[in-house]
Amino acid sequence: MLSDFLRDPFWIEIENWPLSWEIGGTWLFPFIESIHVIAIAMVVGSILFVDLRLLGLAAMRYPIRDLSRELIPWTWGAFAIATVTGLGMFITRAASHVLNPAFQWKMILLVLAGANMAWFHFRIYRHLDGAEHMTATPLQLKIIGSLSLFLWAGVVLAGRWVGHIV
């Protein structure tokens, strides 16, 4: 079932879109790739600040809520740019990307990182009032921060390998 989906001719059709040819055959691809790298750096950088705070390793004078509230708009803006540029690169080689193990791992890790972030923001974030001023960071926050760092590092590493596994 999954194999049929991954080998569907639909992916080749995407590669044959005029936009796919325009991006893949011109200066647009390296330009889009550069913007993608900058956007990913902003996503991971903004998340890194919150994760280090969750781990109790940095920014201990700042309440987690304040730090998160200030950085989340930057994270989402950069994520939107990374998504658009990622799709722009993806459509140039869709059929090979969906079969690429590095791309598959990147997508899996991206979903897991998103689930971890959603768990933090929709389940844990509401109950931070007591943890805001504690000198020792609760274990649950340390686990969420550690997992986030691990998953986002995996997304970046897998993404870097996508172009090298053909």
Side-chain angles (χ1 to χ4, degrees), residues 24-135:
T26 66
W27 59 272
L28 281 171
F29 190 92
F31 176 75
I32 289 171
E33 185 177 31
S34 298
I35 300 300
H36 186 73
V37 169
I38 292 167
I40 291 297
M42 289 179 65
V43 168
V44 174
S46 62
I47 290 171
L48 173 69
F49 280 109
V50 175
D51 289 344
L52 291 176
R53 174 61 181 93
L54 292 176
L55 288 167
L57 298 175
M60 293 301 290
R61 290 184 285 183
Y62 299 99
I64 295 168
R65 284 182 182 272
D66 293 348
L67 189 62
S68 183
R69 185 175 41 250
E70 300 233 354
L71 291 174
I72 287 297
W74 291 97
T75 305
W76 279 113
F79 186 78
I81 293 168
T83 300
V84 169
T85 55
L87 286 170
M89 292 186 299
F90 172 79
I91 65 173
T92 64
R93 295 189 194 122
S96 62
H97 282 325
V98 296
L99 295 173
N100 185 324
F103 181 81
Q104 293 170 353
W105 272 108
K106 179 180 179 177
M107 293 299 108
I108 290 167
L109 293 169
L110 191 58
V111 167
L112 292 173
N116 184 60
M117 189 168 88
W119 178 261
F120 170 68
H121 282 282
F122 297 117
R123 298 284 282 178
I124 307 302
Y125 188 78
R126 316 171 198 227
H127 309 291
L128 282 178
D129 293 332
E132 289 291 307
H133 303 290
M134 291 180 165
T135 53

